[in-house]
Amino acid sequence: MATVLVVEDDEFVRSAIIRDLVGRNHAVRSAGRALDALRDIAHFPPDVVILDLGLPDLDGSEALKMLRAISDVPVIVATARDDEREIVRMLRAGADDYLIKPFSGEHLNARLEALLRRARSAPAAKVIRVGGISLDPERREAYLEGAPLELTRREFDLLAYLCGRPGVVVSRKELLAEVWQQSYGDDQTIDVHLSWLRRKLGETASQPRYLHTVRGVGVRISAPR
Ligand code: CA
């Protein structure tokens, strides 16, 4: 059993897919527009997403790109276009598998279960992305817009901790406890590391792109607008 998000604007197709998946004991949610789906994924991450490429509000590859910026959830794209170039493009944009419409419930379920098996046996560590930053905690590698970032151990830990909480203001006290593993210490230590990190990210405190200091509270990482 899995939690599946079905993103499909055609009500007839959508209800047929939902009926079939529910009949196979999956918990199913649905959305008819890409932006509604992205909001849903951000708030209640499903186990797998079935994404129709012909949605009214966003182009399929655009939707996939935005989805990948916030989540590593397995995605099966459903496309009416029997077009190899399109399929290759989608797989490169982060889709895990694809189905060409029309497909049977049985076919969808087989793909879905194969995907879930792979996802569940894969190591837990995943690549974290915030805007142009991507970070692999397992390999301890970080990239900015595809270029490797040369970070010290502490800088990496600091960036990884912040990237794990995008949009959240993290206090210095929390950073000290979680990154430095100290219950008390010197705020300056953190500020110095933040300024080194800023330099490597090509920004300054007065002109931040990713690292935003919230005076008297802490620091927040978010993708540049
Ligand atoms: Ca459609």
Side-chain angles (χ1 to χ4, degrees):
M1 197 207 111
T3 303
V4 184
L5 176 65
V6 177
V7 191
E8 168 64 68
D9 61 319
D10 183 318
E11 268 178 55
F12 180 76
V13 176
R14 187 170 66 213
S15 57
I17 296 176
I18 293 172
R19 208 176 319 121
D20 190 84
L21 290 171
V22 169
R24 294 171 200 271
N25 290 325
H26 295 300
V28 185
R29 297 201 305 268
S30 69
R33 298 162 65 89
L35 291 175
D36 294 336
L38 291 168
R39 207 169 303 128
D40 186 290
I41 291 164
H43 289 111
F44 312 100
D47 296 319
V48 60
V49 175
I50 298 162
L51 179 67
D52 171 37
L53 293 184
L55 292 169
D57 56 337
L58 283 179
D59 168 67
S61 61
E62 201 58 37
L64 198 51
K65 220 182 292 166
M66 288 172 73
L67 190 159
R68 277 290 167 253
I70 58 165
S71 172
D72 280 317
V73 64
V75 175
I76 301 175
V77 295
T79 173
R81 302 162 219 172
D82 181 7
D83 174 346
E84 185 163 322
R85 284 219 327 252
E86 175 72 5
I87 291 165
V88 169
R89 204 159 68 91
M90 288 304 142
L91 292 171
R92 288 215 170 115
D96 296 275
D97 202 352
Y98 68 93
L99 278 167
I100 292 169
K101 290 182 186 175
F103 48 80
S104 67
E106 200 158 10
H107 190 172
L108 170 60
N109 194 58
R111 296 286 185 113
L112 196 145
E113 286 187 344
L115 195 55
L116 287 170
R117 254 193 326 270
R118 289 204 296 275
R120 283 173 181 162
S121 64
K126 290 174 178 170
V127 174
I128 304 168
R129 295 189 186 86
V130 176
I133 299 174
S134 64
L135 191 138
D136 185 333
E138 187 130 297
R139 296 182 166 178
R140 298 190 63 85
E141 289 172 351
Y143 297 86
L144 178 64
E145 274 130 31
L149 284 168
E150 301 289 336
L151 302 178
T152 64
R153 188 174 63 88
R154 199 69 94 182
E155 287 163 2
F156 183 90
D157 290 343
L158 180 58
L159 185 61
Y161 190 79
L162 292 170
C163 283
R165 288 150 197 77
V168 176
V169 181
V170 179
S171 69
R172 288 184 171 75
K173 193 166 175 236
E174 182 177 343
L175 288 175
L176 208 56
E178 298 296 332
V179 180
W180 274 263
Q181 259 123 54
Q182 292 172 11
S183 52
Y184 61 91
D186 187 355
D187 281 1
Q188 232 182 343
T189 309
I190 295 171
D191 290 338
V192 167
H193 279 85
L194 280 171
S195 80
W196 288 338
L197 198 51
R198 276 205 173 94
R199 200 177 308 157
K200 291 181 180 175
L201 293 172
E203 62 178 54
T204 60
S206 58
Q207 287 188 306
R209 293 179 68 227
Y210 287 97
L211 297 173
H212 302 267
T213 303
V214 180
R215 199 186 291 267
V217 188
V219 63
R220 159 177 65 81
I221 198 162
S222 56
R225 296 198 172 263

